[in-house]
mmCIF file of all heavy atoms in Angstrom:
data_model
loop_
_atom_site.group_PDB
_atom_site.id
_atom_site.type_symbol
_atom_site.label_atom_id
_atom_site.label_comp_id
_atom_site.label_asym_id
_atom_site.label_seq_id
_atom_site.Cartn_x
_atom_site.Cartn_y
_atom_site.Cartn_z
ATOM 1 N N VAL A 21 -8.562 -4.895 9.085
ATOM 2 C CA VAL A 21 -8.322 -4.861 7.649
ATOM 3 C C VAL A 21 -8.205 -3.441 7.159
ATOM 4 O O VAL A 21 -7.336 -3.107 6.305
ATOM 5 C CB VAL A 21 -9.471 -5.573 6.870
ATOM 6 C CG1 VAL A 21 -9.382 -5.344 5.363
ATOM 7 C CG2 VAL A 21 -9.492 -7.079 7.171
ATOM 8 N N LEU A 22 -9.031 -2.543 7.682
ATOM 9 C CA LEU A 22 -8.967 -1.122 7.326
ATOM 10 C C LEU A 22 -7.618 -0.494 7.722
ATOM 11 O O LEU A 22 -7.035 0.239 6.970
ATOM 12 C CB LEU A 22 -10.153 -0.375 7.977
ATOM 13 C CG LEU A 22 -10.537 1.006 7.447
ATOM 14 C CD1 LEU A 22 -10.828 0.948 5.954
ATOM 15 C CD2 LEU A 22 -11.665 1.573 8.208
ATOM 16 N N GLY A 23 -7.148 -0.818 8.931
ATOM 17 C CA GLY A 23 -5.895 -0.338 9.428
ATOM 18 C C GLY A 23 -4.744 -0.837 8.532
ATOM 19 O O GLY A 23 -3.812 -0.066 8.185
ATOM 20 N N THR A 24 -4.808 -2.093 8.099
ATOM 21 C CA THR A 24 -3.789 -2.640 7.233
ATOM 22 C C THR A 24 -3.795 -1.950 5.886
ATOM 23 O O THR A 24 -2.740 -1.672 5.301
ATOM 24 C CB THR A 24 -3.995 -4.161 7.026
ATOM 25 O OG1 THR A 24 -4.078 -4.784 8.322
ATOM 26 C CG2 THR A 24 -2.870 -4.772 6.251
ATOM 27 N N ALA A 25 -5.005 -1.591 5.392
ATOM 28 C CA ALA A 25 -5.120 -0.913 4.112
ATOM 29 C C ALA A 25 -4.461 0.469 4.205
ATOM 30 O O ALA A 25 -3.750 0.861 3.259
ATOM 31 C CB ALA A 25 -6.585 -0.786 3.737
ATOM 32 N N PHE A 26 -4.720 1.187 5.303
ATOM 33 C CA PHE A 26 -4.083 2.513 5.451
ATOM 34 C C PHE A 26 -2.539 2.325 5.522
ATOM 35 O O PHE A 26 -1.859 3.168 4.996
ATOM 36 C CB PHE A 26 -4.573 3.152 6.743
ATOM 37 C CG PHE A 26 -6.054 3.543 6.681
ATOM 38 C CD1 PHE A 26 -6.796 3.645 7.874
ATOM 39 C CD2 PHE A 26 -6.679 3.790 5.490
ATOM 40 C CE1 PHE A 26 -8.138 3.997 7.823
ATOM 41 C CE2 PHE A 26 -8.001 4.143 5.450
ATOM 42 C CZ PHE A 26 -8.770 4.266 6.603
ATOM 43 N N LEU A 27 -2.107 1.237 6.134
ATOM 44 C CA LEU A 27 -0.630 1.014 6.230
ATOM 45 C C LEU A 27 -0.057 0.764 4.874
ATOM 46 O O LEU A 27 1.067 1.223 4.551
ATOM 47 C CB LEU A 27 -0.456 -0.195 7.150
ATOM 48 C CG LEU A 27 1.016 -0.442 7.559
ATOM 49 C CD1 LEU A 27 1.542 0.703 8.414
ATOM 50 C CD2 LEU A 27 1.122 -1.711 8.371
ATOM 51 N N LEU A 28 -0.810 0.089 3.991
ATOM 52 C CA LEU A 28 -0.312 -0.169 2.622
ATOM 53 C C LEU A 28 -0.176 1.127 1.843
ATOM 54 O O LEU A 28 0.755 1.319 1.051
ATOM 55 C CB LEU A 28 -1.304 -1.105 1.891
ATOM 56 C CG LEU A 28 -1.274 -2.563 2.352
ATOM 57 C CD1 LEU A 28 -2.378 -3.368 1.687
ATOM 58 C CD2 LEU A 28 0.081 -3.226 2.142
ATOM 59 N N LEU A 29 -1.119 2.089 2.055
ATOM 60 C CA LEU A 29 -0.965 3.438 1.455
ATOM 61 C C LEU A 29 0.270 4.120 1.964
ATOM 62 O O LEU A 29 0.981 4.824 1.194
ATOM 63 C CB LEU A 29 -2.195 4.253 1.721
ATOM 64 C CG LEU A 29 -3.431 4.024 0.881
ATOM 65 C CD1 LEU A 29 -4.563 4.983 1.209
ATOM 66 C CD2 LEU A 29 -3.163 4.103 -0.609
ATOM 67 N N ALA A 30 0.567 3.968 3.237
ATOM 68 C CA ALA A 30 1.759 4.570 3.846
ATOM 69 C C ALA A 30 3.013 3.934 3.280
ATOM 70 O O ALA A 30 4.004 4.632 3.011
ATOM 71 C CB ALA A 30 1.708 4.389 5.355
ATOM 72 N N VAL A 31 2.979 2.625 3.033
ATOM 73 C CA VAL A 31 4.138 1.901 2.441
ATOM 74 C C VAL A 31 4.484 2.510 1.089
ATOM 75 O O VAL A 31 5.645 2.682 0.718
ATOM 76 C CB VAL A 31 3.834 0.412 2.310
ATOM 77 C CG1 VAL A 31 4.894 -0.259 1.450
ATOM 78 C CG2 VAL A 31 3.855 -0.250 3.689
ATOM 79 N N GLU A 32 3.421 2.860 0.294
ATOM 80 C CA GLU A 32 3.658 3.519 -1.010
ATOM 81 C C GLU A 32 4.483 4.747 -0.836
ATOM 82 O O GLU A 32 5.410 5.042 -1.626
ATOM 83 C CB GLU A 32 2.299 3.837 -1.664
ATOM 84 C CG GLU A 32 2.441 4.526 -3.009
ATOM 85 C CD GLU A 32 1.125 4.847 -3.662
ATOM 86 O OE1 GLU A 32 0.040 4.575 -3.022
ATOM 87 O OE2 GLU A 32 1.146 5.393 -4.791
ATOM 88 N N GLU A 33 4.206 5.573 0.185
ATOM 89 C CA GLU A 33 4.951 6.836 0.413
ATOM 90 C C GLU A 33 6.330 6.541 0.970
ATOM 91 O O GLU A 33 7.274 7.158 0.601
ATOM 92 C CB GLU A 33 4.141 7.695 1.358
ATOM 93 C CG GLU A 33 2.828 8.184 0.782
ATOM 94 C CD GLU A 33 2.014 8.972 1.780
ATOM 95 O OE1 GLU A 33 2.502 9.279 2.884
ATOM 96 O OE2 GLU A 33 0.826 9.305 1.481
ATOM 97 N N TRP A 34 6.450 5.539 1.859
ATOM 98 C CA TRP A 34 7.751 5.247 2.487
ATOM 99 C C TRP A 34 8.751 4.746 1.434
ATOM 100 O O TRP A 34 9.935 5.038 1.519
ATOM 101 C CB TRP A 34 7.595 4.195 3.588
ATOM 102 C CG TRP A 34 6.776 4.613 4.763
ATOM 103 C CD1 TRP A 34 6.508 5.903 5.140
ATOM 104 C CD2 TRP A 34 6.085 3.771 5.669
ATOM 105 N NE1 TRP A 34 5.758 5.921 6.257
ATOM 106 C CE2 TRP A 34 5.450 4.640 6.635
ATOM 107 C CE3 TRP A 34 5.920 2.398 5.837
ATOM 108 C CZ2 TRP A 34 4.670 4.165 7.697
ATOM 109 C CZ3 TRP A 34 5.185 1.915 6.864
ATOM 110 C CH2 TRP A 34 4.539 2.775 7.775
ATOM 111 N N LEU A 35 8.263 3.956 0.481
ATOM 112 C CA LEU A 35 9.165 3.360 -0.525
ATOM 113 C C LEU A 35 9.257 4.198 -1.798
ATOM 114 O O LEU A 35 9.790 3.713 -2.781
ATOM 115 C CB LEU A 35 8.697 1.937 -0.831
ATOM 116 C CG LEU A 35 8.632 0.905 0.306
ATOM 117 C CD1 LEU A 35 8.134 -0.395 -0.186
ATOM 118 C CD2 LEU A 35 10.020 0.779 0.908
ATOM 119 N N GLU A 36 8.725 5.392 -1.758
ATOM 120 C CA GLU A 36 8.606 6.218 -2.983
ATOM 121 C C GLU A 36 9.940 6.366 -3.724
ATOM 122 O O GLU A 36 9.942 6.221 -4.973
ATOM 123 C CB GLU A 36 8.103 7.646 -2.590
ATOM 124 C CG GLU A 36 7.771 8.506 -3.786
ATOM 125 C CD GLU A 36 7.162 9.808 -3.382
ATOM 126 O OE1 GLU A 36 7.043 10.090 -2.163
ATOM 127 O OE2 GLU A 36 6.834 10.582 -4.259
ATOM 128 N N ASN A 37 11.027 6.588 -3.050
ATOM 129 C CA ASN A 37 12.341 6.778 -3.697
ATOM 130 C C ASN A 37 13.156 5.466 -3.774
ATOM 131 O O ASN A 37 14.319 5.459 -4.214
ATOM 132 C CB ASN A 37 13.123 7.821 -2.940
ATOM 133 C CG ASN A 37 12.448 9.158 -2.985
ATOM 134 O OD1 ASN A 37 11.915 9.567 -3.985
ATOM 135 N ND2 ASN A 37 12.439 9.882 -1.832
ATOM 136 N N ILE A 38 12.562 4.387 -3.341
ATOM 137 C CA ILE A 38 13.306 3.079 -3.364
ATOM 138 C C ILE A 38 12.636 2.116 -4.303
ATOM 139 O O ILE A 38 13.292 1.585 -5.232
ATOM 140 C CB ILE A 38 13.314 2.460 -1.962
ATOM 141 C CG1 ILE A 38 13.919 3.458 -0.932
ATOM 142 C CG2 ILE A 38 14.062 1.153 -1.942
ATOM 143 C CD1 ILE A 38 13.774 3.026 0.495
ATOM 144 N N LEU A 39 11.336 1.921 -4.167
ATOM 145 C CA LEU A 39 10.573 0.951 -4.986
ATOM 146 C C LEU A 39 9.187 1.534 -5.257
ATOM 147 O O LEU A 39 8.488 1.793 -4.323
ATOM 148 C CB LEU A 39 10.507 -0.420 -4.269
ATOM 149 C CG LEU A 39 9.670 -1.476 -5.006
ATOM 150 C CD1 LEU A 39 10.345 -1.939 -6.244
ATOM 151 C CD2 LEU A 39 9.350 -2.607 -4.022
ATOM 152 N N PRO A 40 8.865 1.745 -6.508
ATOM 153 C CA PRO A 40 7.477 2.250 -6.792
ATOM 154 C C PRO A 40 6.439 1.194 -6.503
ATOM 155 O O PRO A 40 6.546 0.035 -6.912
ATOM 156 C CB PRO A 40 7.494 2.556 -8.305
ATOM 157 C CG PRO A 40 8.632 1.718 -8.859
ATOM 158 C CD PRO A 40 9.632 1.559 -7.775
ATOM 159 N N VAL A 41 5.428 1.570 -5.688
ATOM 160 C CA VAL A 41 4.376 0.639 -5.291
ATOM 161 C C VAL A 41 3.024 1.299 -5.472
ATOM 162 O O VAL A 41 2.835 2.495 -5.161
ATOM 163 C CB VAL A 41 4.541 0.254 -3.770
ATOM 164 C CG1 VAL A 41 3.369 -0.633 -3.325
ATOM 165 C CG2 VAL A 41 5.857 -0.367 -3.486
ATOM 166 N N SER A 42 2.096 0.584 -6.040
ATOM 167 C CA SER A 42 0.717 1.120 -6.195
ATOM 168 C C SER A 42 -0.065 0.733 -4.949
ATOM 169 O O SER A 42 -0.441 -0.471 -4.762
ATOM 170 C CB SER A 42 0.044 0.534 -7.448
ATOM 171 O OG SER A 42 -1.344 0.820 -7.422
ATOM 172 N N GLY A 43 -0.305 1.678 -4.075
ATOM 173 C CA GLY A 43 -1.002 1.421 -2.785
ATOM 174 C C GLY A 43 -2.421 0.916 -3.026
ATOM 175 O O GLY A 43 -2.895 0.017 -2.365
ATOM 176 N N LEU A 44 -3.109 1.541 -3.982
ATOM 177 C CA LEU A 44 -4.511 1.168 -4.267
ATOM 178 C C LEU A 44 -4.607 -0.275 -4.746
ATOM 179 O O LEU A 44 -5.521 -1.033 -4.376
ATOM 180 C CB LEU A 44 -5.159 2.116 -5.245
ATOM 181 C CG LEU A 44 -5.242 3.590 -4.808
ATOM 182 C CD1 LEU A 44 -5.933 4.423 -5.866
ATOM 183 C CD2 LEU A 44 -6.012 3.731 -3.506
ATOM 184 N N LEU A 45 -3.695 -0.685 -5.644
ATOM 185 C CA LEU A 45 -3.695 -2.050 -6.096
ATOM 186 C C LEU A 45 -3.337 -3.029 -4.990
ATOM 187 O O LEU A 45 -3.881 -4.152 -4.890
ATOM 188 C CB LEU A 45 -2.698 -2.237 -7.249
ATOM 189 C CG LEU A 45 -3.203 -1.994 -8.668
ATOM 190 C CD1 LEU A 45 -2.072 -2.234 -9.663
ATOM 191 C CD2 LEU A 45 -4.367 -2.863 -8.955
ATOM 192 N N ALA A 46 -2.440 -2.580 -4.105
ATOM 193 C CA ALA A 46 -2.044 -3.420 -2.950
ATOM 194 C C ALA A 46 -3.283 -3.701 -2.050
ATOM 195 O O ALA A 46 -3.442 -4.864 -1.566
ATOM 196 C CB ALA A 46 -0.932 -2.719 -2.120
ATOM 197 N N ILE A 47 -4.112 -2.684 -1.874
ATOM 198 C CA ILE A 47 -5.301 -2.821 -1.019
ATOM 199 C C ILE A 47 -6.285 -3.830 -1.646
ATOM 200 O O ILE A 47 -6.781 -4.692 -0.975
ATOM 201 C CB ILE A 47 -5.982 -1.448 -0.836
ATOM 202 C CG1 ILE A 47 -5.111 -0.541 0.032
ATOM 203 C CG2 ILE A 47 -7.383 -1.618 -0.269
ATOM 204 C CD1 ILE A 47 -5.520 0.911 0.006
ATOM 205 N N MET A 48 -6.484 -3.684 -2.962
ATOM 206 C CA MET A 48 -7.392 -4.599 -3.642
ATOM 207 C C MET A 48 -6.856 -6.034 -3.640
ATOM 208 O O MET A 48 -7.592 -6.964 -3.405
ATOM 209 C CB MET A 48 -7.560 -4.144 -5.105
ATOM 210 C CG MET A 48 -8.828 -4.551 -5.734
ATOM 211 S SD MET A 48 -9.004 -3.831 -7.360
ATOM 212 C CE MET A 48 -10.608 -3.162 -7.226
ATOM 213 N N SER A 49 -5.533 -6.184 -3.815
ATOM 214 C CA SER A 49 -4.873 -7.467 -3.794
ATOM 215 C C SER A 49 -4.995 -8.116 -2.425
ATOM 216 O O SER A 49 -5.319 -9.315 -2.295
ATOM 217 C CB SER A 49 -3.401 -7.344 -4.162
ATOM 218 O OG SER A 49 -2.706 -8.535 -4.075
ATOM 219 N N MET A 50 -4.808 -7.330 -1.384
ATOM 220 C CA MET A 50 -4.951 -7.835 0.008
ATOM 221 C C MET A 50 -6.362 -8.349 0.225
ATOM 222 O O MET A 50 -6.515 -9.498 0.793
ATOM 223 C CB MET A 50 -4.644 -6.699 0.954
ATOM 224 C CG MET A 50 -4.929 -7.005 2.401
ATOM 225 S SD MET A 50 -5.090 -5.556 3.478
ATOM 226 C CE MET A 50 -6.634 -4.877 2.905
ATOM 227 N N ALA A 51 -7.333 -7.619 -0.190
ATOM 228 C CA ALA A 51 -8.738 -8.013 0.032
ATOM 229 C C ALA A 51 -9.093 -9.269 -0.748
ATOM 230 O O ALA A 51 -9.784 -10.192 -0.224
ATOM 231 C CB ALA A 51 -9.672 -6.874 -0.342
ATOM 232 N N MET A 52 -8.555 -9.399 -2.003
ATOM 233 C CA MET A 52 -8.793 -10.568 -2.812
ATOM 234 C C MET A 52 -8.231 -11.836 -2.154
ATOM 235 O O MET A 52 -8.887 -12.859 -2.069
ATOM 236 C CB MET A 52 -8.212 -10.383 -4.187
ATOM 237 C CG MET A 52 -8.960 -9.454 -5.084
ATOM 238 S SD MET A 52 -8.101 -9.113 -6.617
ATOM 239 C CE MET A 52 -8.065 -10.725 -7.339
ATOM 240 N N VAL A 53 -6.971 -11.731 -1.684
ATOM 241 C CA VAL A 53 -6.305 -12.906 -1.073
ATOM 242 C C VAL A 53 -7.011 -13.261 0.238
ATOM 243 O O VAL A 53 -7.204 -14.472 0.524
ATOM 244 C CB VAL A 53 -4.809 -12.612 -0.820
ATOM 245 C CG1 VAL A 53 -4.153 -13.695 -0.007
ATOM 246 C CG2 VAL A 53 -4.067 -12.468 -2.191
#
C-alpha cells in the first residue's frame, strides 16, 4: 500500500503537463476504497 501511495505521487508529476492530479487526495481515496 505504501509503495502504491508513492506511485500515486509520482503519477501527479508524470501527468503534470497532461492532466492535473492531486496526489495527496489520490492516496486518501485509495485508502478509503
Side-chain angles (χ1 to χ4, degrees):
V21 172
L22 197 57
T24 307
F26 293 153
L27 192 62
L28 290 173
L29 281 182
V31 166
E32 179 181 2
E33 295 176 7
W34 295 339
L35 299 180
E36 187 176 1
N37 298 319
I38 303 169
L39 176 70
V41 178
S42 169
L44 297 181
L45 271 182
I47 290 167
M48 205 175 231
S49 174
M50 173 198 69
M52 285 173 64
V53 171

